[in-house]
Amino acid sequence: MQNLLDPAILFFIIGVLAGALRSNLEIPPAISRFLSLYLLMALGLKGGFALSHSGLTAQVGISLSAAIVLAICIPLMGYWILSRFVSGFDAAAIAATYGSVSAVTFVTAVQYLENQGVTYGGHMAAAMALMESPAIIMAVVFANVLRQSKTHSVVALGGGVAALQGPSALPGIRVSKILHESFTDGAQLLLLGAMLVGLVTGEAGKAAMQPFSGDLFKGMLSFFLLDMGLMAARNLPKARGHSPVLMAYAVLGPITHAGLALGLAVWLSLPVGDGALLMVLAASASYIAVPAVLRYALPESSPSLYFGLSLGVTFPLNILFGIPIYVSLAQSFLL
């Protein structure tokens, strides 16, 4: 309940209410894009400054390895479950969306930890960057396999004669192109570049950038969450009318993913802050980077499914209730 009294969360709720009431309140796209880039830059700087203070330790390597394991396992598990209820292309798209991460959810969780006085490793920003691409790559691989199976499927003809279908309308998308787009994405490069700047400049850089990356951060996050509240409310109708199974996945899937992250964090003896952020990353779903790639890479899938579920259902639940729950569980089970 205390989380709902945070100014940033209250602005998110205001955005949801304004969107639900069909208000003409709107954040211009250019400003929304700037706020997104600001938050990533500030987060990268914070992570770099923290890494400069702590150094690259074995604990850092363990946390990053755990992030990569989750980034591979979650989309695989999601595709295996969802392919039983929707088409293979939609299953791959939804699995990729929920296997990737939400930067805004992560930034909000970082702010929540700071408000609670819980320390965390700056390297978790790098973990977020590492977790974004594997799900996209696997979705493209799944889609290419589906296309190839359709291309070479055998059609039974009368009299026991068999013939091959003609080539599918859409050729397989090259994984190399998706890899290039994933790793050269501007937001990713800005995040990692800002981390490098923070790592190199250390305490002197932190003092110089404090008015930018520290003092302004809470206000910028509040403004951006207002915009996200508007978007969430306006995309919720896209999630309505879908199969109850998909709605259940949008709610229970992130909880399951967070549970996997908690089990991994307990097994690896991660610190409370790192474990909490790992849970948040595992429970989040992408609604910016992955949908943008999927529109090109999986045109056979339905954007209203993966975009509506992630932004209309999962994102609000994580922002309002998920983050404090995940942090509380991490505090209960981790040292």
Side-chain angles (χ1 to χ4, degrees):
M1 190 64 179
Q2 183 181 359
N3 182 51
L4 298 179
L5 298 179
D6 182 271
I9 303 302
L10 289 174
F11 274 108
F12 176 78
I13 295 174
I14 290 173
V16 171
L17 292 175
L21 294 172
R22 298 183 181 179
S23 166
N24 63 355
L25 176 62
E26 184 177 357
I27 309 299
I31 294 179
S32 179
R33 177 64 174 167
F34 164 74
L35 291 171
S36 175
L37 293 176
Y38 165 81
L39 291 174
L40 287 172
M41 185 175 178
L43 178 64
L45 285 170
K46 286 185 176 187
F49 296 145
L51 268 178
S52 175
H53 180 73
S54 65
L56 297 172
T57 64
Q59 187 66 62
V60 171
I62 291 173
S63 297
L64 295 181
S65 299
I68 294 173
V69 168
L70 288 170
I72 295 173
C73 292
I74 289 174
L76 284 174
M77 182 176 67
Y79 181 75
W80 180 74
I81 294 172
L82 291 166
S83 60
R84 287 158 171 73
F85 303 99
V86 295
S87 72
F89 293 110
D90 283 331
I94 298 172
T97 301
Y98 281 82
S100 190
V101 295
S102 163
V104 178
T105 306
F106 180 80
V107 171
T108 307
V110 166
Q111 185 65 53
Y112 181 83
L113 289 177
E114 291 179 356
N115 291 343
Q116 298 295 313
V118 179
T119 58
Y120 60 91
H123 60 277
M124 293 307 294
M128 181 185 72
L130 288 173
M131 291 181 73
E132 187 170 58
S133 298
I136 301 175
I137 296 167
M138 280 189 279
V140 173
V141 171
F142 292 148
N144 283 345
V145 170
L146 288 170
R147 293 184 188 114
Q148 292 300 320
S149 66
K150 286 185 177 182
T151 302
H152 299 96
S153 62
V154 178
V155 180
L157 300 178
V161 180
L164 291 177
Q165 276 187 326
S168 60
L170 288 166
I173 304 295
R174 288 190 305 163
V175 175
S176 60
K177 183 172 180 63
I178 300 300
L179 276 171
H180 178 268
E181 289 191 4
S182 298
F183 289 108
T184 59
D185 177 69
Q188 285 242 66
L189 287 178
L190 178 61
L191 174 68
L192 295 176
M195 283 192 67
L196 181 61
V197 170
L199 181 62
V200 171
T201 57
E203 289 298 321
K206 182 178 181 180
M209 297 298 290
Q210 177 60 28
F212 175 79
S213 60
D215 297 342
L216 290 176
F217 187 83
K218 190 63 175 281
M220 291 290 198
L221 176 60
S222 299
F223 205 177
F224 191 64
L225 284 180
L226 172 66
D227 187 34
M228 289 298 98
L230 290 167
M231 289 183 62
R234 290 165 183 169
N235 280 275
L236 181 58
K238 294 182 181 180
R240 293 174 183 167
H242 293 315
S243 164
V245 173
L246 293 180
M247 294 297 290
Y249 183 83
V251 176
L252 300 178
I255 296 174
T256 303
H257 303 160
L260 291 174
L262 178 60
L264 197 56
V266 170
W267 182 51
L268 297 173
S269 300
L270 296 185
V272 171
D274 292 4
L277 289 178
L278 192 65
M279 292 175 70
V280 169
L281 287 171
S284 66
S286 176
Y287 55 86
I288 297 178
V290 173
V293 175
L294 291 181
R295 284 175 183 261
Y296 159 74
L298 274 78
E300 305 94 334
S301 61
S302 173
S304 66
L305 281 179
Y306 55 80
F307 191 72
L309 291 174
S310 65
L311 186 54
V313 179
T314 303
F315 179 73
L317 289 178
N318 275 332
I319 292 294
L320 296 176
F321 308 109
I323 291 173
I325 291 173
Y326 304 146
V327 173
S328 178
L329 289 172
Q331 290 173 322
S332 299
F333 287 95
L334 299 173
L335 299 177

